[in-house]
């Protein structure tokens, strides 16, 4: 047996060991959270510590669902996430196509502004954004939650790089046939960019779902809170009641886990095609 053949099983074992270690690093805290959520509150701090609950109960989940506004926060997060994702994909793809395939005065300067927007921390924009929305009377409204999260500069740049890679012959053939720019964008470029659009949509939805800072500032009414802000309020109201805190955290993260399990192929394909590094 050659040295190459002897190394291959060893390399596979090493890769499997690394993957197993990474999986355990992710699954162990999740398993402990589930174990804690299934215990009576009196058993959560019991010594010695046991992995499996001695008296499993769903009391913590029932209390979280009946005594908090969790279902309303779910609905707010879904509404805000879906609308932000749809509008971001549409506007970002239009801007990216314009930067990639049209020539106009100031194009290079505008593109540099987009690139500069990627490196500007969102915390810097919090005060001016809040002042503008307060002046427009949009605090504690869905518009106040949605509008500032639309069109991330990074998404424009990613889609522009994808459109740059599409052969110009495809577009030129359509122009010869009499197609307009809008027709080319809608009927040719968007279908070709489907993997990149899927990646942008997934990352936008996940980013919007997990965004805490902006919803925390602009949504002071409990009925307007999203999942991250609502969970923070549950944690502060429950104090040291670990079972309820763990149950609310699991319920809050469950939609994203299901989302990833359902769309995992699109996530991997989109990351590969668009060149997005997580």
């Amino acid at each position: 047996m050659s040295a190459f053949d002897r190394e291959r099983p060893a390399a596979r074992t090493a890769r499997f060991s690394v993957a197993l270690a990474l999986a355990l690093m992710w699954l162990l805290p999740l398993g402990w959270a589930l174990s804690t959520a299934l215990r009576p509150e009196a058993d959560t701090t019991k010594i010695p510590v046991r992995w499996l609950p001695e008296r499993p109960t769903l009391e913590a989940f029932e209390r979280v669902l009946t005594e908090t506004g969790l279902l309303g926060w779910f609905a707010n997060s879904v509404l805000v996430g879906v609308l932000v994702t749809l509008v971001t994909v549409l506007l970002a793809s239009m801007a990216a196509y314009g930067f990639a395939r049209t020539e106009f005065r100031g194009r290079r300067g505008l593109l540099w502004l987009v690139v500069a927007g990627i490196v500007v921390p969102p915390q810097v924009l919090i005060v001016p954004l809040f002042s503008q929305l307060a002046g427009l009377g949009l605090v504690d409204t869905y518009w106040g939650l949605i509008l500032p999260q639309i069109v991330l500069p990074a998404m424009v740049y990613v889609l522009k790089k994808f459109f740059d890679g599409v052969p110009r012959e495809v577009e030129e053939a359509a122009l010869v046939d009499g197609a307009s720019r809008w027709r080319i964008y809608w009927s040719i470029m968007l279908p070709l960019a489907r993997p990149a659009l899927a990646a942008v949509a997934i990352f936008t939805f996940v980013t919007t779902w997990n965004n805490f800072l902006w919803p925390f500032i602009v949504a002071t009414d409990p009925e307007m809170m999203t999942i991250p802000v609502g969970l923070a309020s549950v944690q502060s109201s429950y104090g040291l009641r670990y079972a309820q805190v763990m149950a609310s955290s699991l319920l809050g993260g469950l939609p994203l886990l299901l989302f990833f399990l359902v769309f995992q192929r699109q996530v991997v394909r989109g990351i590969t095609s668009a060149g997005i590094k997580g």
Side-chain angles (χ1 to χ4, degrees):
M1 181 180 293
S2 65
F4 177 75
D5 292 334
R6 288 196 301 272
E7 288 177 0
R8 290 189 62 185
R12 284 199 298 269
T13 303
R15 285 198 295 270
F16 176 77
S17 300
V18 172
L20 181 62
L22 293 175
L24 288 176
M25 287 174 61
W26 183 77
L27 288 175
L28 285 177
L30 190 63
W32 181 250
L34 179 61
S35 175
T36 303
L38 292 175
R39 301 167 192 256
E41 190 59 45
D43 291 356
T44 57
T45 56
K46 199 172 181 179
I47 302 296
V49 176
R50 298 179 185 276
W51 269 97
L52 297 178
E54 297 177 357
R55 299 176 294 159
T57 175
L58 295 176
E59 179 186 354
F61 290 95
E62 294 174 359
R63 296 193 64 173
V64 168
L65 289 173
T66 57
E67 297 178 5
T68 70
L70 193 66
L71 297 179
W73 302 332
F74 268 120
N76 292 339
S77 288
V78 170
L79 177 66
V80 173
V82 169
L83 289 178
V84 169
T85 300
L86 289 177
V87 180
T88 295
V89 169
L90 179 63
L91 296 183
S93 62
M94 293 172 66
Y97 176 68
F99 281 123
R101 291 306 171 88
T102 60
E103 295 292 339
F104 56 90
R105 181 176 296 179
R107 171 180 170 276
R108 184 178 294 273
L110 284 176
L111 185 58
W112 275 110
L113 281 178
V114 172
V115 175
I118 298 175
V119 299
V120 174
Q123 293 83 355
V124 175
L125 305 175
I126 289 294
V127 173
L129 277 177
F130 184 81
S131 298
Q132 290 180 6
L133 290 177
L136 294 172
L138 296 180
V139 176
D140 275 332
T141 66
Y142 288 115
W143 290 114
L145 285 169
I146 293 170
L147 290 177
Q149 300 188 73
I150 290 175
V151 184
L152 300 176
M155 304 309 173
V156 177
Y157 188 75
V158 167
L159 290 175
K160 178 192 176 299
K161 298 299 290 184
F162 186 90
F163 287 138
D164 285 339
V166 177
R168 288 186 177 273
E169 289 77 8
V170 175
E171 193 175 15
E172 290 169 356
L175 287 172
V176 170
D177 290 340
S180 64
R181 284 286 183 185
W182 173 256
R183 180 76 173 179
I184 293 172
Y185 158 76
W186 187 259
S187 301
I188 298 177
M189 302 302 279
L190 284 188
L192 289 175
R194 193 174 300 165
L197 294 175
V200 168
I202 291 167
F203 278 94
T204 302
F205 184 81
V206 172
T207 302
T208 306
W209 184 278
N210 289 327
N211 192 358
F212 174 82
L213 182 59
W214 178 251
F216 176 73
I217 292 174
V218 80
T220 57
D221 185 349
E223 294 186 357
M224 293 301 301
M225 290 180 178
T226 55
I227 282 291
V229 181
L231 292 182
S233 69
V234 168
Q235 185 170 354
S236 65
S237 61
Y238 277 134
L240 296 178
R241 295 165 70 175
Y242 296 110
Q244 282 84 356
V245 171
M246 291 299 178
S248 60
S249 300
L250 289 171
L251 290 173
L254 188 60
L256 276 188
L257 178 62
L258 295 176
F259 180 82
F260 180 78
L261 291 177
V262 172
F263 296 104
Q264 55 181 318
R265 286 189 178 182
Q266 287 81 354
V267 172
V268 175
R269 191 179 304 163
I271 291 173
T272 304
S273 63
I276 300 174
K277 306 299 183 184

